[in-house]
Amino acid sequence: MVIVAIKGAGRMARGIGTRALAGGHEVHLLDDDPERAERLAAELAPHAAIAQVQAVADLGDADLVVVATPYPAGRDYVAGLGDLVNGAVVVDISNPVDFTTMDGLRTPPGTSAAEEMAAASPGARVVKAFNTTFAKTLETGEVAGRPLDVFLAGDDTRAKEMVADLVESGGMRPIDAGPLRRARELEAFMFLNLTLQDRLGLNQESAIKILS
C-alpha cells in the first residue's frame, strides 16, 4: 500500500482515486476548494473497503502525488511547492490542448507539459501517466471487459515502477512508453483523439469535459 495524494477534485481525480482505492491504496485529496475535496472523499468512501480516503490540507507523507489539474495550473502548483517535492514522485496527467481553437497544443514545439513541469520542479521525479485515459473509463478500469492501457513516460526508472504498480494494482495495464520526452507524443495523441471524436460519431464536448 502507498499513500496517493491527488491534487484536484474533478472527474479525473474521481477516476484515479477510484482505481487507487481498488488497489488497496490510501488516497488523500487536495483542492483549492477544501469543501469540494471533502465531497469527493465522501463519494469515494464506498470504494474504500480495504483502504482509506480523506480530504487533506497538504501533501503530508504521500508516496505519490497525482496532479489532476489542467495545464498550466498543475505545473505552477508543483513549482510552487519548492523543496516539498524534492525526490517526490509526481504524476502529470494534463493535456495542454488549446481548447479555444481545438487546433493545436499550447506547449512550444519540442517539449511537453510534463517536461515543463520537470523543468519548473527539478527536484521532483515527474512521470507522465493517465493523460490518454478518460475519466469515466477509469472508474471501472476497463472497456468492453478489457483492462485500460495506461502509458507511462519518465526518466526515473524507480518512479515509473511505482506508478506502474499503482496502475496494475487498480486492474489496469501499464505500458512503458520510454523517457519523459515521449510525453510529447502522448499529449499529441490525445489531442488527435479529441479532434476525431465528432468524426467517429462521438461527442467532442463531452470528451473534453471528462478530461477535467
Side-chain angles (χ1 to χ4, degrees):
M1 183 199 81
V2 298
I3 299 175
V4 182
I6 302 177
K7 169 62 176 177
R11 295 179 179 88
M12 287 298 289
R14 177 191 300 276
I16 295 169
T18 300
R19 289 297 93 218
L21 291 170
H25 304 292
E26 185 171 336
V27 174
H28 293 178
L29 299 169
L30 306 90
D31 194 75
D32 294 337
D33 180 350
E35 291 185 358
R36 190 175 183 224
E38 290 171 2
R39 287 195 299 271
L40 181 56
E43 291 167 6
L44 289 178
H47 300 281
I50 58 173
Q52 295 182 23
V53 57
Q54 59 183 306
V56 297
D58 54 53
L59 295 178
D61 53 354
D63 300 297
L64 287 168
V65 181
V66 178
V67 185
T69 56
Y71 172 88
R75 176 200 65 197
D76 297 342
Y77 166 73
V78 175
L81 292 172
D83 292 344
L84 291 176
V85 290
N86 281 351
V89 179
V90 179
V91 181
D92 170 44
I93 76 165
S94 68
N95 284 297
V97 176
D98 187 340
F99 291 113
T100 60
T101 64
M102 287 303 297
D103 196 37
L105 298 174
R106 297 174 62 189
T107 46
T111 189
S112 64
E115 290 171 285
E116 286 188 2
M117 181 179 288
S121 308
R125 297 185 287 164
V126 176
V127 177
K128 189 76 181 185
F130 296 109
N131 78 296
T132 61
T133 58
F134 287 103
K136 191 64 178 176
T137 55
L138 277 168
E139 292 186 30
T140 60
E142 62 179 40
V143 173
R146 299 180 64 87
L148 287 181
D149 290 335
V150 179
F151 295 93
L152 315 177
D155 295 330
D156 187 295
T157 300
R158 179 55 188 147
K160 274 199 292 190
E161 288 175 350
M162 290 179 67
V163 179
D165 288 345
L166 172 67
V167 170
E168 194 164 25
S169 67
M172 300 171 290
R173 185 171 70 157
I175 298 178
D176 189 342
L180 193 62
R181 64 178 180 273
R182 292 285 80 82
R184 304 170 195 176
E185 287 75 29
L186 294 178
E187 293 170 8
F189 168 77
M190 199 57 185
F191 162 65
L192 178 62
N193 191 345
L194 289 171
T195 64
L196 293 175
Q197 292 296 299
D198 288 341
R199 294 187 184 185
L200 293 172
L202 304 171
N203 188 305
Q204 184 183 83
E205 185 176 348
S206 295
I208 292 170
K209 285 182 179 178
I210 59 178
L211 284 173
S212 62

